Amino acid sequence: QPYFYTKRAMKKGQFSYEAAQQELQTIVQQLQEGSISMDELAERARRAAELIRLCRERLRDLETELDNLFPED
């Protein structure tokens, strides 16, 4: 069972962008193979949407951090 990434986990530094990407790849692969049951489909889609949201948030935070480290004059 993959670690469930939440905002709280991100704030504690427990969020791994790479692990989230791997989990997303697994979900896509399962969808492509048709190995997800209809009962699981909505749950997996919600999980993928949450992972995408968290990854985007992490990228925005990283961009802000880098902008602060290397300000343009």
Side-chain angles (χ1 to χ4, degrees), residues 8-73:
R8 189 175 350 152
M10 278 184 66
K11 288 178 182 174
K12 290 182 178 181
Q14 297 171 337
F15 176 79
S16 167
Y17 183 87
E18 290 78 14
Q21 286 289 326
Q22 180 62 44
E23 187 176 347
L24 278 168
Q25 289 175 353
T26 299
I27 292 170
V28 169
Q29 183 179 5
Q30 291 171 339
L31 288 169
Q32 290 173 336
E33 294 172 351
S35 61
I36 295 178
S37 72
M38 291 302 287
D39 294 332
E40 294 177 298
L41 185 58
E43 178 184 332
R44 300 302 255 165
R46 280 191 298 273
R47 177 68 177 148
E50 177 69 6
L51 288 167
I52 290 167
R53 187 189 63 73
L54 289 170
C55 286
R56 285 179 178 164
E57 188 175 321
R58 177 63 179 123
L59 288 172
R60 279 192 299 273
D61 291 347
L62 181 58
E63 182 179 26
T64 300
E65 185 177 336
L66 290 174
D67 285 346
N68 290 335
L69 287 173
F70 303 103
E72 294 183 27
D73 294 328

